[in-house]
Amino acid sequence: MITLGWFGVKSAQDQREIHKHRIIALITQNLARLDESISELVKSYERKLNTLDSMTDYSTSALRKVVRSIPVVHQLLILDQRGKRIFPSHVSFTRPEYEFIRRTKPFIETFLKGSRRGKNERRNHRRRKRKALRSPQTFGTKKSSDYRPRPYKKSNKRKVTTRENGNIRIEQHLYANSSQENKTSKLVRAKIAKQKIQRQPIRNKPTDTESRVLALNSSTSNTPQLKEKRPNAELKNFSTSADHNADDSPIIKYDTPNTRPKSATTAQQDKSTSEKKWIKKSRTRFEVMPPEHYNSSNKPARKPQSTIVINKQNNSKSQVIVANTQQQPLRSVDKNKEKNSRPHNTKEPMKRARERGNRDVPQAGQRNPESSSAGLNYSSPSPSASPTKLHQQKSLSHKNIRTQKLTSTSSVKPSLQPQTKESVFQDLRGWSIGFRKNGINLIFSFRKSDGYLIAAEISRTRLIADITLLSPISKSQTKNITQSRITLTNARGDIISQWGRYEPEKNSKPLVSYGLAVPLNSWKLNYFSAKIDLNNTYSYAPFALGVSAVFIAVFGLAFYFYRESNRELTVASQRVTFVNQVSHELKTPLTNIRMYAELLEEDLEDSNDRTRSRMQVIINESQRLSRMIINVLNFARHQRKQLTIIRSKRVVDDIIHHVLDQLRPALQRLNIEVEFKANASQEIDVDTDILEQILHNLISNVEKYAATGQYLGIESCIINDTIQLTLSDKGPGIPRAMIHKIFEAFYRGNNQLAEGVSGTGIGLSISRELARLHGGDLELVNSQQGITFKLTLDSKAKRK
Amino acid sequence: MKVLIAEDEHNIRQGLEDILNAEGYETVSAENGRIAIELYESEKPDFICLDIMMPEMNGYDVCRAIRDNNKDIPVIFISAKSEEVDKVLGLELGADDYILKPFGVKEVIARIRAVTRRYLQSQNVAIKEEISSFKMHELEVFPNELRARRGEKVVELSLRDTKILSFLFKNSGQAIDRDKLFNHCWGRNYLPSSRTLDQHISKLRKRVELNVSKPKIICTVHGFGYRFDP
């Protein structure tokens, strides 16, 4: 049986394995579908945000309106071509805007590499450029290694860039814009090629390492991250400051990586200064910076770039590109004209641009306002809208090479730095993921065709709400809703959203986990199920199951039999209870009948025999009825094991006389001669009721079955505190085969014998039980004629 | 002797009263336990028969209350509750006997006589004036045992029988007026009926006389009463 069970369980286990894989595949499919719909949602956000492309009005109020009109957008950031912030404005910003700036500073920084550096770096930068101008021979090689070593390296990283700055991490997933290929240089193309290779894993699913990194970093929330950084002396200060004053930290963090590392004391000072103070600081800094910023980028390009423009103007198509991509040369051209007129107000260019855009440029949004200010009239469409990409790409690459050649041949050293930088910016459009406090901070950024960088921070609540609205469970699975739960957790494991009514236990492992696609690749979908538990160890499970199956079978059988027997017992006890109650209820009327019959009989002293005999019948039958009731009750009580013996000092012979007196009328009627040899005249402990009942049963048996013998012999004696009674008759006796059966309950001799004789069939049975209860026994003794019973009753209480 | 009968079933109560009266007891009967207690206090019975299942107050409680007052008074339970538990409980409360329903008249009489005998013997001191035994020709009467003996043969006597025999013995040789005998043996409250006395005397003669047709112990004085001739 065990082996059978084992084999059964084994095969079941195999099937279970298959089933398990199927289930996991199904769940994974389900989760993948959900992931798809989430990425679809993100794409729809992208589409919405792409409409900002057509935006022309950069006034603060208009932009605020825009922010309000797009519910997906939480905050908007607009930087102009040079990385100067246009919105939120430096001059007036609301509290949320201000907070937004603070938290996006690291983000901005990643876009302004090189253009917004520390004072020293800028100075060095200028020096290097001057050097380069002085020694043109070294330009070709030196440029790439000295000036621009970073962009090349970074370009690889930029795809997935992670920057840690205090508790803010930024990760960028940028991909080439569809329009960027128009102006791809070799460099850019190489970049795109690399991107393409890497895009595959990104789109489908973040690679293990990526996701793991994400999970690790974010799971160790703010404080652990900071702890890790402690050894780093440079960052230590900032981390402490972050610890102490969370509000101040973003600014400090932002500033420091580009400036020289501050000493601990300065950091402390920074921290100790009030908020207002640093707001002031930053304000002044921003006010000062724009002119510097412009100057820094313009100065080196000032002298030579007119030649490039001129060169490029040879080709109308390339002009557009150059105009769009390389603003600095253009600006340098303008500069001569506008140098004096340009105010240091940051709003000015925007205003002018707006004016011009309204006045004479129908597609101003797609154009560089600077270019139009340069007096160049570009009627051709913007590169982003260009339809002939491939063709252009090829031609462009040639042209770029040509321009390079031109520049080199003309011995003019153009600043390639802004060129490559901006091309990188412009090419890439996509998501930056910031980690801020406990949540994810998604920023979608792209550079407009007019060179303005637009970064939109996605409203986190909106995103979560939209995701929650997605129903991950198809209609066919609605039944399973109650048994399953899908949770969306962030990298820390906090639940962002959940579907399904099943409540998984705390710390229970999900059945299947599925990482979301970029940009939400730090989030995970987890599937919990109540029904399916696949974590059973395969090795001993079948054996355990087999054994348990056998056990269950055995216990099941045992339980079945137990219940069966129990049921019988219950039924029997119910029957007994019923009989008990019925007999009890019969007693009161019977008492009256019997008592009044007997009283009446006494009153009939003088009446004739006929009346008396009729009266006697009533009395005898009522007596018999009461004996039967007592018999039944005793039997019932015996079944419930409630019979007890109550001994009292009595003379046994008296009891026998009493019984004989009671039964004499019937015996006389049947002409049964009673011979009583009384030898038990002394008092002895005996239960009168039991003795009477046994005698009644035995004597009435003689009446019923042995009347033909016409003899009843009773002999009593007491030996060693034991009452011994012998009752014999001269009836037909009992066939030998039946002797052992007569003491069984409900057995009534053979049919011939029992025919026409009333009785319940429990008399001898209950008599023997009562005798045994009384410490004695009732036995059948061999006799020559009829039946002889031997009754022994112990006077001493020694119950079995 | 006065007997208190507490029984809620009217017919059984009536029957018991008849049986006990016929035996020579005075009876007071109560239909529930509370009345039984009241009657016990007012009537001061010598003997108590209690049913167990009674309204207002059950037999056990009545027995307990009475036993708190009087340790010697005989109590007999007459109940349909045939469970051993009930019997044991009844006997442990101090009952002298426990009679199960349905009972035979003779059984009740026998048990009541047995209890009376024990009571009378224990009360021997109280009724000391009475002679423990007397002889009426061959019959020796033991009034406290409610028995008479003729040689080997034991004759069971009722309380009334002993009263009659002892009354006749006390006035031996004198003719006793029927009313006088009746009043002495049946009590004044008992409704006189000539047949009752005659019937009883004839029954008694059957048991005590050797030859009923020629009675020696209870001789008839025609038109007047009875007489014992020593």
Side-chain angles (χ1 to χ4, degrees):
Chain A
M1 196 171 177
I2 289 172
T3 46
L4 262 176
W6 191 84
F7 278 119
V9 166
K10 173 89 175 156
S11 65
Q13 188 70 18
D14 290 344
Q15 281 187 338
R16 227 170 95 91
E17 276 294 298
I18 296 162
H19 185 60
K20 171 184 159 181
H21 287 298
R22 261 188 219 148
I23 286 170
I24 286 178
L26 234 152
I27 292 165
T28 315
Q29 214 179 329
N30 221 14
L31 295 179
R33 215 176 296 139
L34 182 58
D35 173 40
E36 235 168 68
S37 50
I38 289 171
S39 13
E40 199 52 47
L41 181 76
V42 171
K43 270 176 197 163
S44 76
Y45 286 179
E46 277 180 37
R47 279 195 292 277
K48 251 180 226 171
L49 295 168
N50 279 335
T51 57
L52 292 172
D53 239 339
S54 58
M55 183 173 61
T56 51
D57 194 350
Y58 295 118
S59 69
T60 306
S61 60
L63 285 169
R64 278 184 188 153
K65 214 177 271 177
V66 167
V67 169
R68 275 199 299 275
S69 67
I70 306 172
V72 173
V73 176
H74 188 232
Q75 290 293 341
L76 204 59
L77 175 81
I78 295 174
L79 306 175
D80 72 356
Q81 298 92 332
R82 268 157 247 240
K84 183 175 159 277
R85 198 176 78 220
I86 291 172
F87 181 83
S89 150
H90 287 284
V91 182
S92 77
F93 45 82
T94 59
R95 179 84 194 175
E97 276 170 2
Y98 156 66
E99 277 166 5
F100 168 64
I101 296 159
R102 260 183 25 193
R103 67 172 172 262
T104 36
K105 264 179 182 171
F107 164 79
I108 297 164
E109 194 191 353
T110 60
F111 275 83
L112 300 180
K113 260 296 128 58
S115 62
R116 295 198 65 174
R117 288 179 180 178
K119 230 177 182 179
N120 290 342
E121 254 184 78
R122 243 178 286 141
R123 196 176 56 216
N124 294 338
H125 181 72
R126 256 175 270 142
R127 276 181 197 160
R128 256 183 247 134
K129 282 195 173 174
R130 270 182 227 129
K131 257 187 189 175
L133 285 171
R134 262 180 265 141
S135 53
Q137 294 86 1
T138 54
F139 166 73
T141 50
K142 265 200 174 178
K143 176 213 71 185
S144 56
S145 57
D146 288 347
Y147 302 173
R148 308 268 56 187
R150 279 174 160 182
Y152 291 102
K153 286 176 188 171
K154 255 184 212 154
S155 62
N156 293 338
K157 283 182 190 169
R158 187 154 285 179
K159 192 154 327 332
V160 178
T161 324
T162 52
R163 291 175 54 83
E164 293 204 20
N165 210 341
N167 59 349
I168 296 173
R169 291 177 72 253
I170 286 185
E171 186 178 323
Q172 286 180 317
H173 297 271
L174 303 176
Y175 46 89
N177 197 359
S178 56
S179 60
Q180 100 284 0
E181 296 185 21
N182 296 341
K183 52 234 152 150
T184 354
S185 61
K186 258 184 188 172
L187 174 72
V188 173
R189 259 198 294 168
K191 241 185 269 165
I192 291 164
K194 276 177 192 167
Q195 276 175 7
K196 274 179 181 169
I197 293 161
Q198 293 188 347
R199 200 187 295 167
Q200 215 61 28
I202 289 169
R203 282 234 173 123
N204 290 341
K205 199 182 164 183
T207 59
D208 283 350
T209 46
E210 280 169 10
S211 59
R212 221 169 275 163
V213 164
L214 272 174
L216 271 172
N217 283 333
S218 43
S219 65
T220 56
S221 57
N222 303 341
T223 38
Q225 273 184 352
L226 293 171
K227 274 174 193 169
E228 281 167 23
K229 283 171 207 158
R230 287 263 154 89
N232 189 335
E234 192 180 333
L235 283 167
K236 194 177 181 179
N237 306 323
F238 312 130
S239 61
T240 49
S241 66
D243 274 344
H244 289 293
N245 197 337
D247 286 335
D248 289 353
S249 55
I251 286 293
I252 297 159
K253 278 166 201 158
Y254 167 63
D255 286 340
T256 45
N258 293 330
T259 54
R260 272 176 299 181
K262 285 180 182 176
S263 66
T265 48
T266 52
Q268 290 291 334
Q269 280 171 359
D270 272 13
K271 187 191 71 190
S272 62
T273 52
S274 66
E275 274 189 37
K276 279 180 185 177
K277 220 172 181 180
W278 67 254
I279 290 170
K280 226 176 183 179
K281 260 188 188 174
S282 63
R283 209 174 266 166
T284 52
R285 198 189 301 150
F286 280 121
E287 277 167 7
V288 175
M289 274 177 82
E292 278 185 21
H293 178 70
Y294 276 102
N295 291 336
S296 66
S297 54
N298 289 338
K299 273 174 190 169
R302 191 194 297 165
K303 296 166 190 172
Q305 272 161 8
S306 55
T307 51
I308 298 170
V309 174
I310 291 156
N311 286 332
K312 282 180 181 173
Q313 275 172 346
N314 294 337
N315 189 320
S316 65
K317 272 181 187 172
S318 68
Q319 271 177 358
V320 178
I321 298 147
V322 170
N324 280 328
T325 55
Q326 302 176 339
Q327 287 98 14
Q328 273 167 332
L330 287 172
R331 207 176 292 130
S332 62
V333 175
D334 305 339
K335 197 131 193 184
N336 296 326
K337 293 178 184 175
E338 297 183 21
K339 196 179 176 183
N340 300 322
S341 65
R342 172 171 286 175
H344 288 233
N345 191 346
T346 51
K347 279 184 181 176
E348 196 55 33
M350 272 169 60
K351 275 182 189 170
R352 261 188 288 124
R354 230 181 297 141
E355 283 163 18
R356 284 201 188 94
N358 293 337
R359 197 173 54 214
D360 56 7
V361 186
Q363 294 173 321
Q366 295 175 345
R367 288 178 188 185
N368 193 338
E370 299 289 336
S371 63
S372 62
S373 70
L376 298 164
N377 224 356
Y378 303 113
S379 57
S380 61
S382 77
S384 61
S386 169
T388 54
K389 287 172 197 166
L390 280 171
H391 173 70
Q392 281 176 349
Q393 194 179 333
K394 278 181 185 175
S395 59
L396 275 170
S397 60
H398 287 299
K399 276 158 203 164
N400 274 339
I401 294 159
R402 212 185 302 156
T403 48
Q404 275 191 352
K405 276 176 188 169
L406 275 168
T407 49
S408 58
T409 48
S410 62
S411 75
V412 179
K413 292 105 198 168
S415 163
L416 259 175
Q417 181 185 346
Q419 229 177 27
T420 46
K421 180 180 85 186
E422 290 193 353
S423 68
V424 167
F425 294 162
Q426 210 163 25
D427 291 343
L428 301 173
R429 145 189 309 253
W431 293 96
S432 305
I433 304 160
F435 292 96
R436 175 174 66 82
K437 297 200 173 166
N438 296 336
I440 196 169
N441 198 24
L442 280 182
I443 295 168
F444 182 72
S445 59
F446 61 97
R447 192 168 283 272
K448 274 181 67 177
S449 46
D450 57 8
Y452 276 61
L453 179 86
I454 294 182
E457 190 186 48
I458 300 297
S459 165
R460 215 193 307 181
T461 39
R462 175 80 190 183
L463 174 70
I464 290 167
D466 281 347
I467 286 171
T468 310
L469 282 176
L470 297 170
S471 173
I473 294 154
S474 59
K475 274 179 187 173
S476 61
Q477 286 174 308
T478 41
K479 282 176 194 169
N480 294 338
I481 283 180
T482 46
Q483 281 114 31
S484 67
R485 162 156 296 182
I486 297 175
T487 58
L488 181 64
T489 54
N490 65 10
R492 281 177 70 195
D494 298 333
I495 292 170
I496 293 161
S497 178
Q498 57 189 22
W499 302 270
R501 266 175 244 148
Y502 168 65
E503 278 294 335
E505 283 172 32
K506 265 191 175 178
N507 304 325
S508 62
K509 281 185 179 175
L511 207 61
V512 180
S513 280
Y514 191 90
L516 285 184
V518 173
L520 295 168
N521 50 355
S522 68
W523 289 5
K524 265 200 295 186
L525 285 168
N526 301 307
Y527 187 93
F528 297 92
S529 176
K531 269 188 178 173
I532 317 154
D533 181 23
L534 304 174
N535 295 329
N536 279 345
T537 45
Y538 182 61
S539 54
Y540 67 87
F543 176 71
L545 279 170
V547 169
S548 58
V550 171
F551 266 96
I552 285 164
V554 168
F555 278 116
L557 275 173
F559 181 69
Y560 173 76
F561 285 123
Y562 170 75
R563 252 195 65 174
E564 274 300 298
S565 67
N566 224 17
R567 198 170 60 84
E568 273 174 24
L569 280 176
T570 318
V571 169
S573 78
Q574 278 171 352
R575 241 180 255 155
V576 163
T577 314
F578 174 73
V579 168
N580 211 1
Q581 277 184 342
V582 166
S583 351
H584 199 262
E585 289 304 308
L586 288 173
K587 276 178 183 176
T588 306
L590 186 61
T591 308
N592 278 329
I593 292 168
R594 192 176 161 187
M595 183 171 65
Y596 280 97
E598 286 175 11
L599 284 173
L600 192 60
E601 196 221 1
E602 282 184 19
D603 292 342
L604 291 175
E605 190 97 31
D606 296 338
S607 52
N608 57 31
D609 286 348
R610 210 171 153 189
T611 320
R612 283 178 65 86
S613 68
R614 282 177 183 169
M615 201 65 236
Q616 198 60 48
V617 171
I618 297 173
I619 292 163
N620 286 344
E621 289 309 303
S622 62
Q623 280 176 355
R624 199 163 74 153
L625 191 56
S626 46
R627 279 201 304 275
M628 274 163 62
I629 286 173
I630 288 167
N631 243 357
V632 168
L633 282 177
N634 273 342
F635 182 73
R637 230 172 280 144
H638 173 67
Q639 292 283 305
R640 282 181 292 157
K641 312 233 187 296
Q642 283 185 351
L643 271 180
T644 48
I645 303 293
I646 302 164
R647 289 183 170 82
S648 54
K649 288 252 181 226
R650 287 294 154 85
V651 178
V652 174
D653 285 349
D654 288 354
I655 297 166
I656 296 167
H657 273 298
H658 180 65
V659 172
L660 283 175
D661 284 345
Q662 281 186 340
L663 293 171
R664 189 156 286 133
L667 293 169
Q668 281 170 354
R669 199 176 64 237
L670 292 165
N671 291 322
I672 295 169
E673 186 198 337
V674 179
E675 190 189 341
F676 177 31
K677 293 174 187 170
N679 293 317
S681 55
Q682 66 262 50
E683 279 194 339
I684 193 165
D685 281 328
V686 66
D687 188 319
T688 320
D689 290 338
I690 282 177
L691 180 57
E692 281 185 7
Q693 203 185 342
I694 293 169
L695 286 172
H696 271 299
N697 284 335
L698 292 175
I699 294 167
S700 61
N701 271 349
V702 174
E703 276 175 42
K704 286 173 194 166
Y705 306 112
T708 50
Q710 296 190 337
Y711 172 82
L712 170 63
I714 302 172
E715 208 180 321
S716 68
C717 65
I718 293 171
I719 301 163
N720 296 334
D721 292 338
T722 306
I723 304 153
Q724 288 195 357
L725 296 177
T726 314
L727 288 97
S728 54
D729 65 53
K730 288 176 180 172
I734 297 168
R736 199 169 279 277
M738 288 183 178
I739 284 173
H740 63 284
K741 281 189 175 177
I742 59 163
F743 289 109
E744 286 176 15
F746 306 113
Y747 180 81
R748 293 189 58 210
N750 63 18
N751 286 337
Q752 286 174 344
L753 201 63
E755 211 170 312
V757 179
S758 64
T760 50
I762 57 171
L764 279 179
S765 166
I766 192 71
S767 296
R768 172 177 261 191
E769 292 303 327
L770 289 172
R772 286 180 176 173
L773 210 62
H774 208 295
D777 206 350
L778 179 65
E779 294 159 312
L780 198 62
V781 183
N782 286 329
S783 58
Q784 289 173 343
Q785 196 188 355
I787 299 169
T788 304
F789 286 106
K790 188 185 173 193
L791 174 70
T792 49
L793 297 174
D794 198 343
S795 64
K796 283 174 185 167
K798 47 169 184 180
R799 287 174 204 172
K800 285 181 184 176
Chain B
M1 272 180 103
K2 195 183 275 181
V3 180
L4 171 65
I5 299 165
E7 166 67 59
D8 59 327
E9 221 278 331
H10 173 261
N11 288 326
I12 293 174
R13 190 169 67 237
Q14 193 61 54
L16 282 172
E17 279 180 27
D18 289 351
I19 292 166
L20 289 171
N21 281 331
E23 277 290 297
Y25 299 91
E26 283 175 63
T27 55
V28 275
S29 54
E31 55 194 41
N32 64 46
R34 188 179 49 77
I35 294 171
I37 295 280
E38 284 170 11
L39 284 178
Y40 169 76
E41 280 164 5
S42 60
E43 298 286 334
K44 306 278 175 202
D46 305 303
F47 199 112
I48 296 165
C49 290
L50 283 173
D51 187 16
I52 289 171
M53 290 187 287
M54 283 188 295
E56 295 202 34
M57 193 173 181
N58 69 31
Y60 294 135
D61 292 341
V62 175
C63 181
R64 208 172 282 131
I66 289 168
R67 275 274 172 264
D68 287 346
N69 232 337
N70 189 342
K71 302 244 182 213
D72 300 323
I73 189 165
V75 176
I76 292 177
F77 277 113
I78 299 174
S79 173
K81 284 169 82 91
S82 56
E83 304 283 317
E84 266 70 17
V85 187
D86 304 316
K87 285 191 204 172
V88 169
L89 182 58
L91 293 173
E92 277 180 358
L93 279 171
D96 293 84
D97 211 339
Y98 194 101
I99 299 169
L100 275 176
K101 289 177 190 171
F103 49 80
V105 175
K106 283 170 188 163
E107 183 191 359
V108 172
I109 289 169
R111 287 182 189 253
I112 283 174
R113 279 182 190 170
V115 173
T116 310
R117 260 173 227 139
R118 261 176 279 164
Y119 173 73
L120 289 175
Q121 279 164 8
S122 66
Q123 298 289 311
N124 219 355
V125 190
I127 10 174
K128 193 130 199 198
E129 311 104 67
E130 261 185 86
I131 322 135
S132 60
S133 70
F134 55 89
K135 265 209 156 184
M136 300 169 92
H137 300 290
E138 294 87 29
L139 190 77
E140 196 180 1
V141 180
F142 303 91
N144 283 348
E145 293 182 30
L146 301 181
R147 275 194 194 112
R149 199 175 287 238
R150 183 188 292 278
E152 287 295 305
K153 200 184 172 189
V154 176
V155 180
E156 296 274 331
L157 296 172
S158 72
L159 189 65
R160 177 156 291 134
D161 295 337
T162 53
K163 270 184 186 171
I164 293 167
L165 290 177
S166 55
F167 191 67
L168 288 173
F169 178 76
K170 276 179 188 170
N171 305 297
S172 17
Q174 291 178 29
I176 297 163
D177 185 8
R178 284 165 58 94
D179 287 342
K180 202 177 176 186
L181 185 68
F182 196 83
N183 282 340
H184 184 265
C185 298
W186 268 260
R188 285 173 202 282
N189 298 335
Y190 205 81
L191 290 172
S193 155
S194 57
R195 268 197 68 75
T196 313
L197 182 65
D198 292 341
Q199 269 183 0
H200 195 91
I201 293 294
S202 73
K203 273 187 194 171
L204 185 61
R205 271 180 185 155
K206 278 180 189 172
R207 279 184 287 171
V208 297
E209 299 284 352
L210 269 175
N211 189 351
V212 180
S213 53
K214 285 181 185 173
K216 276 186 178 178
I217 296 167
I218 307 170
C219 305
T220 309
V221 180
H222 285 286
F224 187 74
Y226 301 97
R227 185 188 64 197
F228 166 63
D229 290 325

